[in-house]
Amino acid sequence: MTQPEPLRIVDFSTHMSGPLASHLLVEMGADVIKVEHPVQGDGNRGNEPKIAGISDLHLALNPGTRSIAISTRSPHWSDVVAGVTAWADAVIVGSRPKDAVRRGLDFHTLLEANPQLVYCVISGYGLTGPWAEYKAHGQNMDALAGRVEVDWNDGHPQTQVGWRSAGVLLAGVFGAMGVLAAIVKRDRGGGPQFVHTSIWNTALWWNWRDVNTWVNNDEPWHEYRALGSRYSMYATSDLRALLICPLEKVAWERFCDLTGLDQLSARGEWTHSMDFGYDDEFPLITDAISRRSFDDWTRLLDEAEIPFAPILTLDEAVNSEHAQVNRVLRGTEVPGGRVQMAASPVQLSSNPDEAAQPSLSDLPPPPDLGSDTDEILAEVGLDHLVGEDLSGGSR
C-alpha cells in the first residue's frame, strides 16, 4: 500500500506547549520543521535534568523533527518565514498576539504566503481580556486557573511536593487536536483555518467537573476519599493500598463472597445501577482486607472480576509487564546511547490485530540546533540563501 504524504508542520513556538503539539504530530507521522533562535534554540535545549547528557525536554519533545536556525533580526527573516509557511499544511505559533504581529508571525501575514494555511496559536492567557498580555511562564497559568495547591511553611507559601503543571501540557495536546481537525475542515472545502487555545484555558478546563459544580451549585465536585465504603482505599496485611470499587450489584455480591462478608451481600439500593456503600461497612471491609497481602488480593480480586486497582508507584507502573507490552516508552539513539521517553498514547494502526501488538520504531534523535538549515532552505525554494549567515548578529 502506498504511504500517504506526511503532514507538513512548521513550529515557530518555544518551550513546552507548542513543541509538545508538534511532537505529538511527529509521533503520528508528520514532517515537522522547527524554526529556532540560532543561540537559544526553542528554549528546551539547556534545561535540567540531563538524560545521557541532553536536556530532558529536548529529548522528550524534539526527536524526529528538523531544525532551521534563524534570528528575527536577520534581513532574511521574512523570506524564510514565507518560504516555510508556503511549504506547510499548518504552522504553530506560541506567543502573545502583539508579539506575533511584531515578529511577522500573525495569521494575516502568514496567510499571504499560504492562502490555505492552518494557523495554530497557543497563547498564555487568551486573545482578549484583562490577562491577555500577561507574560506567561509554566506554573503561572495554573495559578490563575485555581489549580495550584499551596503548602504554608513558617509563613512561606510553597508549591506542594509532587505537583505538576497541567496547562502547558494540555495546551499542546489540544493544539495538536485542533490542527488535525482544522486540516480536515480545510481539506473539505472550509478554506484557511485559525486555531487557538490558551494555556490558562486548558488548565481551567482540566478541572471541568469542579468548574461545572461551582458555577451551577456553588460547590466543588466530590472528593474521592468521601465517595463511600464501596469506592475506597484499604490497607493490606503488608501495608500496601488497594482501591476497591464493587459498586454494581454483581460485583458487590462477589466481593462479599470473597471476603466472607455474606451478611452484607444483599444490602444495597440498585435503582441507578451503583451503590457507593454505607459508613458502618468501613470497619468490616478494613478488617477483611487487612487479613491478606497485597499480592494475594491482587490475584483474588482479578480472578473474581471485581473492579479494583493496586495503588502503584510511578516506577512500578512504568516497569510493569503491562507497560512493556503496551509500548508506553519509545526510544531514540543519542551520542550517549539509547534513551527511552514516554510515547504518545495515541497509536495508529491499519487493523485491530496490529493495534493489539504495537511495535514502535525508534524516532530519529533530536536535531542539533540548525543542523537542517541548508536542506530546508533548498527544499522550500530558497536555494539562494543556502550558506548565508542567518544569525542576525545573535550571540
Side-chain angles (χ1 to χ4, degrees), residues 106-189:
D106 58 285
F107 176 71
H108 296 293
T109 298
L110 298 192
L111 205 62
E112 294 176 6
N114 185 342
Q116 289 296 306
L117 183 66
V118 168
Y119 178 98
C120 174
V121 59
I122 300 175
S123 67
Y125 296 95
L127 302 179
T128 188
W131 300 341
E133 297 300 336
Y134 276 14
K135 282 284 193 179
H137 240 311
Q139 190 177 23
N140 298 1
M141 289 70 69
D142 288 84
L144 277 167
R147 282 208 67 260
V148 179
E149 300 291 338
V150 178
D151 282 337
W152 289 88
N153 296 306
D154 297 326
H156 179 64
Q158 294 178 311
T159 306
Q160 288 185 350
V161 173
W163 183 90
R164 300 291 184 267
S165 59
V168 290
L169 302 177
L170 286 169
V173 174
F174 279 102
M177 184 169 65
V179 164
L180 294 174
I183 289 173
V184 171
K185 186 174 181 180
R186 179 201 65 189
D187 290 350
R188 291 184 175 182

Side-chain angles (χ1 to χ4, degrees), residues 243-305:
L243 175 61
I244 301 175
C245 318
L247 302 177
E248 295 80 10
K249 189 174 187 292
V250 171
W252 177 243
E253 291 171 347
R254 290 175 180 170
F255 179 75
C256 289
D257 180 61
L258 184 64
T259 56
L261 298 175
D262 302 289
Q263 73 276 23
L264 301 178
S265 180
R267 190 184 196 190
E269 204 291 305
W270 314 106
T271 303
H272 300 291
S273 79
M274 295 187 295
D275 189 322
F276 281 82
Y278 308 88
D279 288 348
D280 61 353
E281 293 174 353
F282 276 110
L284 299 175
I285 299 174
T286 296
D287 179 68
I289 298 303
S290 71
R291 297 176 181 274
R292 291 182 180 270
S293 70
F294 182 82
D295 289 342
D296 282 347
W297 279 123
T298 297
R299 176 178 54 81
L300 291 169
L301 291 164
D302 176 38
E303 290 174 351
E305 296 190 346

Side-chain angles (χ1 to χ4, degrees), residues 346-378:
V346 177
Q347 297 170 12
L348 305 181
S349 306
S350 59
N351 60 70
D353 293 335
E354 182 182 328
Q357 297 180 320
S359 177
L360 294 180
S361 59
D362 283 4
L363 287 171
D368 292 337
L369 180 58
S371 59
D372 306 293
T373 297
D374 286 348
E375 173 190 273
I376 292 168
L377 290 172

